[in-house]
Amino acid sequence: QVQLVESGGDLAQPGGSLRLSCAASGTIFSVHHMAWYRQAPGKARELVADINSDYRVNYTNSVKGRFAISRANAKNTVYLQMDSLKPEDTAVYYCNTLGSTWKWGQGTQVTVSS
């Protein structure tokens, strides 16, 4: 069974940066199209960014130019570099495949506030 462990969330000031990590175990990680999602209080979970096995990336409009997704297949890890953070980025962040085929991890809390 695939296990996902997200980390790196924290309290950040507006305009600040954070780097999230997600480690996957129990799978051949490199073949999967990976994604970061987030869920803000009272809202549905939304897709933030994705990266396929050829390192092609996509972003939701609200984070374009501010966030960068990357992957390190040798470490079975996907990253989300978050710059120019805004209060509306506050959410619990999760990783999964695109289409969320695996069991969700616990997520990592990102809070953007002054």
Side-chain angles (χ1 to χ4, degrees):
Q1 183 175 358
V2 177
Q3 184 175 12
L4 299 167
V5 179
E6 299 93 347
S7 62
D10 205 342
L11 172 65
Q13 292 191 342
S17 298
L18 289 173
R19 189 191 194 207
L20 307 184
S21 299
C22 172
S25 60
T27 184
I28 303 174
F29 178 80
S30 61
V31 304
H32 293 287
H33 192 150
M34 296 300 299
W36 280 97
Y37 301 79
R38 67 185 179 187
Q39 187 167 20
K43 295 188 177 181
R45 189 172 289 164
E46 65 169 342
L47 175 64
V48 175
D50 64 89
I51 182 168
N52 71 5
S53 57
D54 292 328
Y55 297 89
R56 182 171 295 180
V57 300
N58 291 291
Y59 300 95
T60 192
N61 285 338
S62 62
V63 308
K64 283 182 180 177
R66 301 188 299 118
F67 289 11
I69 187 171
S70 61
R71 65 191 298 161
N73 289 336
K75 296 182 179 181
N76 281 10
T77 299
V78 60
Y79 303 98
L80 187 67
Q81 177 66 40
M82 308 165 65
D83 297 323
S84 301
L85 284 163
K86 301 177 180 181
E88 52 263 43
D89 295 320
T90 295
V92 180
Y93 284 72
Y94 304 86
C95 73
N96 209 314
T97 60
L98 187 67
S100 56
T101 54
W102 295 335
K103 180 180 178 181
W104 294 98
Q106 84 287 349
T108 188
Q109 175 70 50
V110 171
T111 302
V112 184
S113 175
S114 55

